[in-house]
Amino acid sequence: MLLYLVTKNHSFSDGNKRIAATLFLWFLANNNILYNKDKTKRIADNTLVALTLMIAESKSEEKDIMVKVVVNLINNRNK
C-alpha cells in the first residue's frame, strides 16, 4: 500500500515515483525484508522501477491487483 499510495496520490509537487520507491526501500529495510537470507535484494532495482511505473500507469480500479503483485514479490514464501 505504501508504494501504491505515494505513487498514485501525488503527495508531492514533483518526484512522487522516486519518493515512493525510496520510501518503499526504506520500509523494507526497516522491517528486515529488503534482503533475502543469502544477502541478495528481494526486489531488483529494475524490478522496482518497473513496478513503480506500472502502478503510476494503472487505473484506480486496479489498485487491489497492483498491491497483490507487490505483496507476492516480497512474500517470504516465494523465496
Side-chain angles (χ1 to χ4, degrees):
M1 287 301 284
L2 176 65
L3 181 61
Y4 182 88
L5 291 175
V6 176
T7 301
K8 294 297 272 187
N9 284 344
H10 300 283
S11 304
F12 305 96
S13 61
D14 188 30
N16 288 284
K17 292 184 289 291
R18 289 185 300 266
I19 293 167
T22 301
L23 284 173
F24 186 62
L25 291 174
W26 175 84
F27 173 83
L28 294 176
N30 280 305
N31 287 283
N32 297 317
I33 53 177
L34 178 59
Y35 294 98
N36 294 310
K37 290 180 183 179
D38 64 359
K39 305 295 182 198
T40 58
K41 276 190 179 178
R42 191 170 300 268
I43 297 180
D45 293 341
N46 58 347
T47 304
L48 180 57
V49 169
L51 279 174
T52 306
L53 291 173
M54 181 178 69
I55 288 169
E57 295 295 321
S58 69
K59 297 176 182 169
S60 58
E61 54 268 10
E62 298 171 328
K63 180 184 91 172
D64 291 339
I65 294 169
M66 296 297 115
V67 171
K68 284 179 185 179
V69 167
V70 175
V71 168
N72 283 330
L73 284 171
I74 63 173
N75 192 332
N76 281 329
R77 291 174 282 176
N78 293 336
K79 305 298 174 206

